[in-house]
Amino acid sequence: MEIRVLGPLSADVNGGSIVPTASKPRQILALLAFYPGRVVPVPTLMEEIWGTELPQSAMTTLQTYILQVRRRLGTAMGPDEPGSAKDVLATRHGGYLLQIPPDCVDVHRYEQWVGMGQSALEAGDDEKASTAFRSALAMWNGPALVDVRVGPVLEIEVLRLEESRLGTVERRIDADLRLGRHTELIAELTDLIARHPQHEGLHSQAMVALYRSGRQATALDVYRRLRARLIEELGVEPSPQLQRLHQAMLAVDPALDLLSGRRRSSTFDLYAV
């Protein structure tokens, strides 16, 4: 079985899709996919589907949805497959579980790549970190579960994944900056700060990439526009780290140069106390 949630939901068995067309069974399959080999309690499944307003027939309806997923699973498995759909989508006391290895779900492979990238980053191996983070990000095919109507439980998972995705982008860019790839990062960072107009970490990376590419005035303009936006929209000044980065650029601080900077510091924390 191969399940993907980092983009549109897909679940294939022997080349055949088992994703239900109906909305609520799709939610059930997506939620179970986040916890392969683990029992998902019935109350959690019900909360995902109905929130706090459960219908009187909630248990019966949930069982019907499980049956619909099992039928699609059984059809895809075929008569010659060892075991049955009930073995794969199993009933347990108090809940249900998808009895598959975690590696069958893309989100778990993504998190493995992220872990490898973080370990390499902490060890000072920027090339390996950049490669691992790129492999993790390459697994995404759009927003998580973009074609699934998510309830309160899946919404939390989707938000967590989107935050993780953005954090992975930041760490990959940090590794690339330390590898001297500042010029080739400018276009990507220009797009990122346009899509995340209040994100100080991405703005600091854009400033450093521009500064190291000989575009000091443009780097300072990125700070000026961010500061104006933060004051106008939130009534706050940029963080002390970003203010110190700005001052360092005005002073042409040698610590901003690629060879002088502390190797394992993130760009945003370069001027942290």
Side-chain angles (χ1 to χ4, degrees):
M1 183 182 293
E2 174 76 18
I3 301 180
R4 296 183 177 274
V5 299
L6 302 177
L9 175 65
S10 70
D12 298 329
V13 175
N14 296 331
S17 175
I18 65 166
V19 177
T21 54
S23 172
K24 288 181 170 58
R26 288 169 74 89
Q27 284 176 265
I28 294 290
L29 177 60
L31 184 54
L32 291 169
F34 272 95
Y35 307 100
R38 294 165 54 187
V39 175
V40 180
V42 165
T44 301
L45 291 163
M46 289 183 174
E47 181 186 0
E48 168 59 27
I49 299 171
W50 294 292
T52 57
E53 299 181 5
L54 302 184
Q56 287 187 345
S57 59
M59 190 66 223
T60 302
T61 305
L62 175 62
Q63 290 170 341
T64 301
Y65 295 152
I66 293 290
L67 181 61
Q68 289 177 24
V69 178
R70 276 192 183 137
R71 281 175 177 163
R72 293 189 68 94
L73 181 58
T75 300
M77 289 174 67
D80 299 327
E81 191 79 16
S84 67
K86 279 190 175 183
D87 296 322
V88 178
L89 177 46
T91 303
R92 292 291 184 268
H93 179 69
Y96 298 91
L97 83 155
L98 204 54
Q99 199 126 253
I100 58 175
D103 282 355
C104 290
V105 187
D106 62 349
V107 68
H108 294 276
R109 299 196 301 277
Y110 160 76
E111 289 171 345
Q112 287 174 348
W113 278 116
V114 171
M116 285 188 280
Q118 186 61 36
S119 296
L121 203 63
E122 292 170 359
D125 190 340
D126 298 324
E127 188 67 62
K128 184 176 180 181
S130 176
T131 299
F133 288 142
R134 286 178 189 277
S135 295
L137 294 166
M139 301 192 70
W140 286 74
N141 189 32
L145 295 179
V146 66
D147 59 346
V148 175
R149 185 185 70 82
V150 300
V153 182
L154 279 176
E155 183 178 24
I156 292 170
E157 293 290 355
V158 168
L159 288 173
R160 177 185 67 82
L161 278 173
E162 292 296 343
E163 283 295 319
S164 171
R165 183 186 191 181
L166 186 57
T168 301
V169 169
E170 282 187 84
R171 283 174 284 177
R172 194 220 82 222
I173 291 173
D174 268 331
D176 285 341
L177 282 170
R178 287 199 291 272
L179 290 165
R181 297 169 179 164
H182 33 269
T183 301
E184 58 217 74
L185 288 169
I186 290 174
E188 178 185 8
L189 283 164
T190 300
D191 176 65
L192 284 168
I193 62 175
R195 289 192 284 121
H196 302 278
Q198 296 177 355
H199 196 294
E200 292 195 349
L202 293 171
H203 280 75
S204 71
Q205 291 177 323
M207 289 168 65
V208 170
L210 288 162
Y211 180 90
R212 289 180 179 170
S213 301
R215 298 171 62 181
Q216 180 188 24
T218 308
L220 294 171
D221 190 55
V222 168
Y223 176 85
R224 180 191 61 76
R225 286 184 281 113
L226 173 63
R227 180 175 182 268
R229 188 178 299 112
L230 291 176
I231 292 172
E232 179 181 350
E233 297 178 4
L234 301 178
V236 299
E237 290 280 351
S239 67
Q241 294 102 308
L242 203 57
Q243 291 184 44
R244 284 190 287 271
L245 177 63
H246 176 245
Q247 290 300 317
M249 288 184 175
L250 290 172
V252 194
D253 188 339
L256 284 168
D257 296 336
L258 179 63
L259 296 179
S260 301
R262 288 172 289 169
R263 293 282 297 166
R264 298 185 192 180
S265 296
S266 72
T267 305
F268 187 58
D269 290 335
L270 193 61
Y271 289 91
V273 176

